[in-house]
Amino acid sequence: MKNKGLGRGIEALFADNEINENEEQVTEISIDKLHPNPFQPRTEFDTAALDDLAQSIKKSGVFQPIIVRNDDSHSKEYQILAGERRYRASKLAGKETIPAIIRPISDEQMMEIAVVENLQREDLSPLEEAEAYATLMDKLHLTQAQVSQRLGKSRPYIANYLRLLKLPREVRLLLKADKLSMGQARTLLAIKDEHKLIKLAHATVANNLTVRQLEQLINSENKSKASQAKPRTKKSPFVHDAEQQLQDLFGTSVLLNASKSGKGKIEIDYSSNQDLNRILQILNIS
């Protein structure tokens, strides 16, 4: 079983509302009155798994209530906070109602709950996990550090996943289809030339290269380039370590050039306006 290990799960997010679960009531709500979570980052549901769940519901009903909120305080329409699979399967099973718990949840909490529920899926791919973190940062205007704190993950862990979103679309599709592993994808990020990166990604899949073999290929290529290039001044361990820490902080490539006089410059890569805004938020620049 795949364990996501989230420090703060859905239960913790619901607990933020200070609701006493013993006082909550399970209500049968008409299927026709329910609507999917508009902030749900998950758009694809396994058809076979839904069919299996629908058969189970036909036979035994829904054991665990879904959680919903009122669409509007003056209406009887509801949005699903947690349990969309049970809702979809119940529709397939021909059910007219489904057991539910109604909770007062804000848009921000609803979005966070949807993303965390998505993160707790056992079949979540590395790219989907990265997209979930990016959604929290973009929609809730959070920094990597804030996402790390909310989810109980280390900041470098979040940064490493977000870096996957910098891969070319063709390579991201290979990762999403589980043809590339997280380790292979991270290793490929060392290649700056997009054309070569895509070519090596396909070669990795075709030849079933291990991460170690991929590293050796890339190192060999880099050494070959280095031997043809002009000699560079070797960076001190301090500068190299500072670069690494800055890359972990910003979740992107950072180049630190320092001269003997003590002067220098820091170059921070960003891939889009959205990525630039993310970096500016980390620097507390509005």
Side-chain angles (χ1 to χ4, degrees):
M1 180 176 180
K2 185 178 178 183
N3 182 10
K4 289 296 173 190
L6 288 173
R8 279 169 52 84
I10 296 175
E11 296 83 3
L13 295 175
F14 283 138
D16 289 342
N17 295 289
E18 298 182 356
I19 297 173
N20 184 346
E21 293 191 6
N22 293 326
E23 296 177 358
E24 292 184 324
Q25 293 184 343
V26 177
T27 305
E28 287 288 332
I29 294 180
S30 171
I31 293 285
D32 295 336
K33 298 295 183 181
L34 291 168
H35 307 284
N37 186 337
F39 304 115
Q40 171 65 269
R42 183 183 183 187
T43 56
E44 297 179 6
F45 292 80
D46 188 300
T47 303
L50 277 179
D51 285 340
D52 288 343
L53 183 56
Q55 292 304 315
S56 174
I57 289 174
K58 275 184 180 180
K59 181 179 179 181
S60 307
V62 177
F63 290 116
Q64 184 180 7
I66 65 172
I67 300 174
V68 303
R69 74 165 185 176
N70 266 119
D71 230 350
D72 186 297
S73 59
H74 300 295
S75 74
K76 290 297 182 181
E77 301 286 321
Y78 301 90
Q79 291 176 329
I80 299 169
L81 301 175
E84 188 169 334
R85 283 186 72 252
R86 276 164 279 160
Y87 156 73
R88 289 173 177 259
S90 294
K91 286 184 71 174
L92 286 175
K95 295 289 184 179
E96 295 184 358
T97 64
I98 188 171
I101 293 173
I102 304 170
R103 287 182 173 168
I105 300 291
S106 68
D107 281 353
E108 180 173 324
Q109 290 168 324
M110 189 171 185
M111 182 182 299
E112 189 171 355
I113 288 165
V115 172
V116 172
E117 183 186 29
N118 196 45
L119 285 169
Q120 290 180 334
R121 284 166 47 203
E122 292 181 18
D123 60 343
L124 194 68
S125 73
L127 188 60
E128 288 173 320
E129 186 167 348
E131 289 169 342
Y133 297 141
T135 297
L136 281 177
M137 293 175 65
D138 182 39
K139 301 297 184 182
L140 300 184
H141 309 293
L142 302 177
T143 64
Q144 286 184 21
Q146 289 170 325
V147 171
S148 166
Q149 185 178 19
R150 289 196 183 201
L151 300 181
K153 295 284 190 182
S154 70
R155 186 176 45 73
Y157 178 95
I158 302 293
N160 282 331
Y161 271 87
L162 289 171
R163 289 181 66 217
L164 298 177
L165 300 178
K166 298 181 183 298
L167 289 166
R169 182 177 181 277
E170 194 170 338
V171 180
R172 294 201 306 271
L173 290 175
L174 292 174
L175 181 61
K176 191 169 186 177
D178 205 25
K179 293 181 179 180
L180 282 177
S181 70
M182 170 77 169
Q184 290 168 327
R186 285 184 58 189
T187 303
L188 286 166
L189 282 165
I191 304 172
K192 301 304 179 184
D193 186 299
E194 182 174 312
H195 176 72
K196 289 182 178 179
L197 193 159
I198 294 172
K199 185 177 179 181
L200 188 52
H202 284 291
T204 299
V205 174
N207 299 302
N208 196 26
L209 298 178
T210 65
V211 172
R212 181 60 181 157
Q213 289 172 326
L214 193 53
E215 287 175 343
Q216 290 174 341
L217 279 174
I218 293 173
N219 288 336
S220 176
E221 174 71 16
N222 289 340
K223 284 179 181 178
S224 175
K225 282 185 177 180
S227 64
Q228 299 172 14
K230 293 181 179 179
R232 286 186 174 183
T233 304
K234 188 175 180 180
K235 292 182 179 178
S236 70
F238 168 78
V239 171
H240 182 75
D241 184 59
E243 271 186 348
Q244 189 59 53
Q245 290 189 53
L246 287 169
Q247 287 176 6
D248 287 343
L249 173 63
F250 294 113
T252 188
S253 176
V254 177
L255 186 63
L256 200 162
N257 290 316
S259 65
K260 291 182 179 180
S261 66
K263 294 182 179 180
K265 63 181 180 179
I266 299 174
E267 297 180 6
I268 305 172
D269 287 351
Y270 63 91
S271 57
S272 63
N273 288 334
Q274 179 182 336
D275 199 31
L276 173 60
N277 289 331
R278 176 184 64 79
I279 293 170
L280 292 176
Q281 285 178 1
I282 295 173
L283 294 169
N284 290 323
I285 298 174
S286 58

